[in-house]
Amino acid sequence: MGRVVVRAWQAAYRSIMPDEYLDGLSAEDRASLWRQQIQTAGGDGLLVIDVDGEVAGLAAFGPCQDDGAAGDDGQLYAINVDPAHWGQGLGRALLRAATADLARQGFQHLVLWVVPDNQRARGLYESEGWTFDDVSRDEEMFGVAVTVVRYSRPLA
Protein backbone atom coordinates (compact mmCIF):
# COMPACT_ATOMS: atom_id res chain seq x y z
CA MET A 1 0.00 0.00 0.00
CA GLY A 2 2.84 2.36 0.78
CA ARG A 3 4.38 1.72 -2.63
CA VAL A 4 1.06 2.41 -4.38
CA VAL A 5 0.55 5.72 -2.58
CA VAL A 6 4.09 6.93 -3.30
CA ARG A 7 3.96 5.95 -6.98
CA ALA A 8 0.49 7.47 -7.41
CA TRP A 9 1.49 10.74 -5.74
CA GLN A 10 4.74 10.99 -7.69
CA ALA A 11 2.83 10.61 -10.96
CA ALA A 12 -0.31 12.61 -10.15
CA TYR A 13 1.32 15.55 -8.36
CA ARG A 14 4.49 16.04 -10.44
CA SER A 15 4.63 19.78 -11.27
CA ILE A 16 1.85 20.40 -8.71
CA MET A 17 3.89 19.70 -5.58
CA PRO A 18 7.63 20.32 -5.17
CA ASP A 19 9.78 17.70 -6.90
CA GLU A 20 12.09 17.39 -3.89
CA TYR A 21 9.09 16.53 -1.72
CA LEU A 22 7.74 13.93 -4.16
CA ASP A 23 11.18 12.41 -4.72
CA GLY A 24 11.65 12.10 -0.97
CA LEU A 25 8.44 10.13 -0.34
CA SER A 26 9.12 6.78 1.27
CA ALA A 27 7.04 3.67 0.61
CA GLU A 28 8.12 2.35 4.01
CA ASP A 29 6.89 5.49 5.79
CA ARG A 30 3.55 5.36 3.97
CA ALA A 31 3.23 1.64 4.68
CA SER A 32 3.76 2.36 8.37
CA LEU A 33 0.99 4.98 8.31
CA TRP A 34 -1.42 2.53 6.64
CA ARG A 35 -0.46 -0.23 9.08
CA GLN A 36 -1.33 2.07 11.99
CA GLN A 37 -4.61 3.04 10.32
CA ILE A 38 -5.58 -0.61 9.82
CA GLN A 39 -4.68 -1.50 13.41
CA THR A 40 -6.72 1.43 14.71
CA ALA A 41 -9.78 1.02 12.48
CA GLY A 42 -9.59 -2.73 11.95
CA GLY A 43 -9.76 -2.32 8.18
CA ASP A 44 -13.19 -0.67 8.24
CA GLY A 45 -13.46 1.92 5.49
CA LEU A 46 -10.59 0.53 3.47
CA LEU A 47 -10.75 -1.19 0.10
CA VAL A 48 -7.79 -2.67 -1.74
CA ILE A 49 -7.58 -4.00 -5.29
CA ASP A 50 -4.89 -6.51 -6.05
CA VAL A 51 -3.65 -7.52 -9.47
CA ASP A 52 -1.62 -10.71 -9.71
CA GLY A 53 -1.12 -10.80 -5.94
CA GLU A 54 0.11 -7.20 -5.59
CA VAL A 55 -1.77 -4.17 -4.32
CA ALA A 56 -2.70 -2.06 -7.34
CA GLY A 57 -5.01 0.47 -5.69
CA LEU A 58 -6.77 1.48 -2.50
CA ALA A 59 -9.56 3.66 -1.21
CA ALA A 60 -10.13 4.92 2.34
CA PHE A 61 -13.46 6.35 3.51
CA GLY A 62 -15.77 6.85 6.48
CA PRO A 63 -17.62 9.57 8.37
CA CYS A 64 -17.03 13.11 7.15
CA GLN A 65 -14.22 14.78 9.06
CA ASP A 66 -15.12 18.35 8.11
CA ASP A 67 -15.97 20.78 10.90
CA GLY A 68 -19.74 21.06 11.27
CA ALA A 69 -20.47 17.95 9.19
CA ALA A 70 -23.82 16.28 9.80
CA GLY A 71 -23.91 12.74 11.18
CA ASP A 72 -25.19 11.42 7.86
CA ASP A 73 -22.26 12.90 5.87
CA GLY A 74 -19.64 10.46 4.61
CA GLN A 75 -16.26 11.17 3.07
CA LEU A 76 -13.84 9.61 0.63
CA TYR A 77 -10.51 10.26 2.35
CA ALA A 78 -8.16 8.87 -0.28
CA ILE A 79 -8.08 6.93 -3.51
CA ASN A 80 -4.78 5.89 -5.06
CA VAL A 81 -4.01 3.61 -7.99
CA ASP A 82 -0.54 2.58 -9.07
CA PRO A 83 0.19 4.47 -12.33
CA ALA A 84 1.09 1.15 -13.98
CA HIS A 85 -2.64 0.37 -13.73
CA TRP A 86 -4.10 3.73 -14.73
CA GLY A 87 -6.67 3.54 -17.48
CA GLN A 88 -7.82 0.03 -16.51
CA GLY A 89 -10.92 1.07 -14.54
CA LEU A 90 -9.47 0.33 -11.09
CA GLY A 91 -10.01 3.86 -9.79
CA ARG A 92 -13.60 3.81 -11.00
CA ALA A 93 -14.16 0.40 -9.39
CA LEU A 94 -12.73 1.64 -6.08
CA LEU A 95 -14.81 4.82 -6.20
CA ARG A 96 -18.02 2.91 -6.92
CA ALA A 97 -17.32 0.32 -4.23
CA ALA A 98 -16.50 2.97 -1.61
CA THR A 99 -19.64 4.92 -2.53
CA ALA A 100 -21.76 1.77 -2.24
CA ASP A 101 -20.21 0.91 1.13
CA LEU A 102 -20.86 4.42 2.44
CA ALA A 103 -24.48 4.15 1.27
CA ARG A 104 -24.84 0.78 3.09
CA GLN A 105 -23.57 2.49 6.22
CA GLY A 106 -26.47 4.95 5.99
CA PHE A 107 -24.68 8.09 4.87
CA GLN A 108 -26.91 10.44 2.86
CA HIS A 109 -24.37 12.88 1.49
CA LEU A 110 -20.73 12.42 0.52
CA VAL A 111 -17.76 14.73 0.16
CA LEU A 112 -14.16 14.45 -0.97
CA TRP A 113 -11.29 16.91 -1.29
CA VAL A 114 -8.97 17.03 -4.28
CA VAL A 115 -6.06 19.18 -5.44
CA PRO A 116 -7.50 21.48 -8.15
CA ASP A 117 -4.79 20.65 -10.71
CA ASN A 118 -5.41 16.91 -10.42
CA GLN A 119 -7.52 16.89 -13.58
CA ARG A 120 -7.40 13.11 -13.94
CA ALA A 121 -9.07 12.60 -10.54
CA ARG A 122 -11.53 15.43 -11.07
CA GLY A 123 -12.59 13.93 -14.39
CA LEU A 124 -13.24 10.58 -12.71
CA TYR A 125 -15.27 12.14 -9.91
CA GLU A 126 -17.34 14.23 -12.30
CA SER A 127 -18.04 11.22 -14.53
CA GLU A 128 -19.40 9.41 -11.46
CA GLY A 129 -21.84 12.16 -10.47
CA TRP A 130 -19.73 14.17 -8.03
CA THR A 131 -19.92 17.95 -8.39
CA PHE A 132 -17.50 20.70 -7.45
CA ASP A 133 -19.36 22.84 -4.93
CA ASP A 134 -17.18 25.99 -4.99
CA VAL A 135 -15.59 25.34 -1.60
CA SER A 136 -11.82 25.37 -1.17
CA ARG A 137 -9.38 25.40 1.70
CA ASP A 138 -5.68 25.24 2.38
CA GLU A 139 -4.45 22.17 4.19
CA GLU A 140 -1.27 20.32 4.93
CA MET A 141 -0.83 17.01 3.16
CA PHE A 142 2.04 15.07 4.74
CA GLY A 143 4.06 18.22 5.31
CA VAL A 144 3.21 20.16 2.12
CA ALA A 145 0.73 23.05 2.13
CA VAL A 146 -1.78 22.73 -0.73
CA THR A 147 -5.12 24.14 -1.72
CA VAL A 148 -7.88 21.56 -2.12
CA VAL A 149 -11.40 21.85 -3.50
CA ARG A 150 -14.48 19.99 -2.36
CA TYR A 151 -16.67 17.69 -4.43
CA SER A 152 -19.93 16.32 -3.14
CA ARG A 153 -22.80 14.10 -4.09
CA PRO A 154 -26.08 13.08 -2.52
CA LEU A 155 -26.92 9.43 -2.00
CA ALA A 156 -30.49 8.41 -2.83
Side-chain angles (χ1 to χ4, degrees):
M1 291 174 61
R3 178 187 51 80
V4 168
V5 171
V6 168
R7 288 178 43 83
W9 275 48
Q10 287 174 336
Y13 296 125
R14 189 67 64 189
S15 79
I16 296 172
M17 292 183 172
D19 285 346
E20 56 275 1
Y21 170 75
L22 293 171
D23 294 339
L25 291 175
S26 161
E28 293 78 21
D29 290 346
R30 295 297 172 251
S32 177
L33 291 172
W34 283 107
R35 192 174 299 109
Q36 290 172 355
Q37 179 69 20
I38 291 168
Q39 289 170 347
T40 301
D44 289 341
L46 178 65
L47 296 172
V48 175
I49 289 184
D50 93 46
V51 174
D52 298 328
E54 291 196 23
V55 175
L58 60 96
F61 52 91
C64 184
Q65 297 179 342
D66 293 350
D67 291 338
D72 62 354
D73 289 345
Q75 182 173 346
L76 177 66
Y77 307 136
I79 188 166
N80 290 277
V81 174
D82 189 309
H85 297 285
W86 285 2
Q88 298 175 6
L90 300 184
R92 186 173 307 279
L94 284 165
L95 182 59
R96 287 179 178 175
T99 300
D101 199 332
L102 288 162
R104 278 191 296 277
Q105 292 179 45
F107 293 106
Q108 299 297 309
H109 182 260
L110 304 180
V111 300
L112 63 81
W113 294 87
V114 62
V115 175
D117 290 337
N118 189 343
Q119 294 301 320
R120 182 180 197 90
R122 292 181 75 171
L124 170 63
Y125 302 142
E126 290 168 7
S127 74
E128 289 293 317
W130 295 75
T131 57
F132 171 53
D133 59 12
D134 288 325
V135 176
S136 66
R137 70 180 183 204
D138 293 326
E139 68 178 42
E140 186 177 310
M141 297 175 76
F142 299 111
V144 174
V146 296
T147 298
V148 291
V149 296
R150 188 174 68 192
Y151 274 70
S152 64
R153 69 166 290 176
L155 290 175

